[in-house]
């Protein structure tokens, strides 16, 4: 494990998630590991674009039409009036740490649980700077997987010239009492066929447990059909072209009665499909990056 950490950049948890104990050097080399993935982001994306995605309010200002819901930023006491107006329209809402990631620190609040707006505001602001979002109400087609969380798709895109390639998408499902579907928060991942939108394997969590049926709902995971797949592919294709100089992004999207909506974009999103398939995708990504770099040089 120590050798793999230094040789392949493989973290100790990845050693088991990727089945490294059963692979030779050639097999291990095919994985995009946690410590090695950063060089790929730098080769595909301009660093200055990071601020657009890392700043949840900036991302909302740019991609607002794809969110299809309201979002506000709270940084201090001066935002109480803004918050009161937001609460008057949304009795329940989700709160996310302004600079958070991985689903950590996310909570749902209900105004009826508090005696006053002032008390609710104080509770929310105890987390520091946060964004408050109108709740995403997922459609029943996705809610059947796990009622307690919004079950999303992580759809990475790689832009090569004018073409946008859907690169190893995954279904993400919450489990237990979790209100988010992030794998780092106990969620379950299952790979999706990029052409058909059909889940092609059983689900897996980060503890290396695999599931043919969802442990809470009992829904069979392999063969699950993502609703209106062509529509979500069109959505991420359009979003991938919004920020120039950004060739890669992992899009988290949710399905509602109003159609597919953007949850967030991750220009440094992990290549999580490898966790579920135990199959490395580095050679495939490197080939795409080489094409991107050749086109860039050709335009100089």
């Amino acid at each position: 494990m120590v050798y793999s950490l230094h040789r392949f950049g493989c973290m100790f948890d990845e050693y088991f998630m990727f089945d490294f104990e059963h692979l030779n050097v050639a097999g291990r080399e095919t994985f995009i590991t946690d410590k090695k993935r950063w060089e790929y982001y730098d080769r595909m994306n301009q660093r200055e674009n990071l601020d657009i995605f890392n700043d949840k309010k900036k991302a909302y200002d740019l991609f607002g039409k794809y969110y299809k819901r309201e979002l506000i930023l709270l940084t201090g006491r001066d935002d109480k009036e803004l918050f009161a107006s937001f609460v008057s329209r949304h009795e329940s809402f989700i709160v996310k740490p302004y600079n958070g990631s991985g689903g950590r620190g996310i909570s749902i609040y209900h105004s009826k649980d508090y005696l006053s707006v002032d008390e609710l505001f104080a509770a929310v602001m105890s987390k520091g700077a946060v964004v408050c979002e109108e709740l995403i109400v997922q459609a029943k087609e996705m809610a059947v997987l796990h009622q307690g969380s919004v079950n999303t798709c992580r759809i990475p895109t790689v832009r090569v010239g004018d073409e946008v390639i859907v690169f190893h998408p995954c279904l993400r499902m919450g489990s237990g009492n979790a209100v988010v579907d992030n794998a780092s928060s106990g969620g379950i991942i299952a790979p999706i066929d990029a052409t058909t939108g059909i889940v092609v394997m059983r689900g897996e969590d980060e503890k290396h447990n695999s599931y043919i049926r969802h442990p809470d709902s009992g829904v069979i995971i392999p063969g699950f059909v993502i609703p209106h797949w062509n529509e979500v592919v069109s959505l991420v294709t359009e979003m991938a072209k919004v920020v120039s100089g950004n060739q890669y992004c992992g899009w988290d999207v949710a399905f509602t009665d109003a159609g597919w909506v953007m949850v967030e974009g991750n220009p440094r999103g992990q290549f999580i499909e490898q966790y579920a398939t135990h199959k490395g995708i580095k050679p495939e990504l490197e080939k795409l990056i080489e094409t991107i770099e050749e086109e860039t040089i050709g335009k100089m």
Side-chain angles (χ1 to χ4, degrees):
M1 290 172 67
V2 172
Y3 166 76
S4 291
L5 175 65
H6 293 285
R7 175 71 172 78
F8 307 104
C10 178
M11 305 299 285
F12 290 163
D13 57 345
E14 290 181 318
Y15 187 88
F16 297 103
M17 287 190 287
F18 295 159
D19 281 337
F20 263 36
E21 67 269 34
H22 300 133
L23 298 175
N24 59 18
V25 169
R28 294 177 182 186
E29 281 282 12
T30 64
F31 283 84
I32 304 170
T33 59
D34 196 49
K35 291 179 72 67
K36 295 289 187 180
R37 62 190 172 100
W38 305 99
E39 62 185 80
Y40 295 108
Y41 305 142
D42 289 339
R43 290 172 67 187
M44 290 187 284
N45 297 336
Q46 294 177 0
R47 278 181 173 264
E48 53 266 32
N49 289 336
L50 265 179
D51 188 46
I52 296 173
F53 293 94
N54 289 344
D55 187 317
K56 290 182 173 62
K57 183 61 167 61
K58 284 184 179 179
Y60 179 72
D61 290 342
L62 186 60
F63 291 96
K65 72 176 184 178
Y66 305 111
Y67 278 66
K68 300 180 183 178
R69 64 191 182 280
E70 187 177 6
L71 178 149
I72 62 170
L73 168 64
L74 305 178
T75 59
R77 294 179 180 178
D78 292 342
D79 294 320
K80 185 183 292 186
E81 188 175 329
L82 173 66
F83 178 74
S85 176
F86 176 83
V87 171
S88 71
R89 292 185 294 277
H90 310 292
E91 190 175 290
S92 299
F93 53 93
I94 194 163
V95 174
K96 302 176 181 179
Y98 186 41
N99 294 312
S101 62
R104 291 175 286 274
I106 293 177
S107 302
I108 293 176
Y109 285 79
H110 308 281
S111 58
K112 64 181 177 59
D113 295 336
Y114 295 84
L115 297 175
S116 66
V117 172
D118 286 349
E119 183 184 4
L120 177 55
F121 181 71
V124 170
M125 289 307 300
S126 67
K127 295 175 174 286
V130 298
V131 293
C132 299
E133 288 185 28
E134 178 183 350
L135 287 177
I136 295 173
V137 180
Q138 65 183 338
K140 63 182 181 181
E141 290 94 331
M142 294 294 284
V144 296
L145 293 162
H146 182 252
Q147 293 283 345
S149 62
V150 176
N151 308 297
T152 65
C153 292
R154 163 65 63 84
I155 307 183
T157 56
V158 179
R159 186 176 176 182
V160 182
D162 293 328
E163 182 183 8
V164 175
I165 297 164
V166 172
F167 190 72
H168 296 283
C170 283
L171 170 64
R172 307 195 316 173
M173 301 156 276
S175 66
N177 296 321
V179 298
V180 294
D181 61 2
N182 304 67
S184 57
S185 299
I188 299 168
I189 301 168
I192 300 169
D193 179 80
T195 302
T196 64
I198 297 173
V199 177
V200 293
M201 289 180 65
R202 65 183 68 195
E204 257 199 55
D205 61 24
E206 284 199 350
K207 294 182 179 178
H208 215 348
N209 300 309
S210 70
Y211 307 92
I212 290 179
R213 291 181 178 270
H214 191 285
D216 300 305
S217 65
V219 172
I220 297 174
I221 296 171
F224 185 85
V225 179
I226 305 300
H228 299 278
W229 181 249
N230 289 341
E231 292 179 15
V232 72
V233 169
S234 295
L235 176 68
V236 297
T237 298
E238 185 176 333
M239 294 193 298
K241 297 177 180 180
V242 171
V243 180
S244 74
N246 228 68
Q247 269 66 50
Y248 169 78
C249 194
W251 304 100
D252 293 336
V253 290
F255 186 62
T256 72
D257 287 339
W260 285 96
V261 302
M262 174 179 170
V263 178
E264 62 181 10
N266 304 276
R268 294 192 166 187
Q270 291 173 283
F271 302 92
I272 59 176
E273 195 216 44
Q274 298 175 121
Y275 298 155
T277 62
H278 310 286
K279 182 179 178 181
I281 58 176
K282 185 167 74 173
E284 189 178 346
L285 182 63
E286 286 185 335
K287 191 172 182 179
L288 290 174
I289 294 174
E290 287 171 6
T291 303
I292 293 170
E293 292 173 339
E294 287 171 2
E295 289 200 357
T296 302
I297 293 171
K299 292 178 180 179
M300 290 182 177

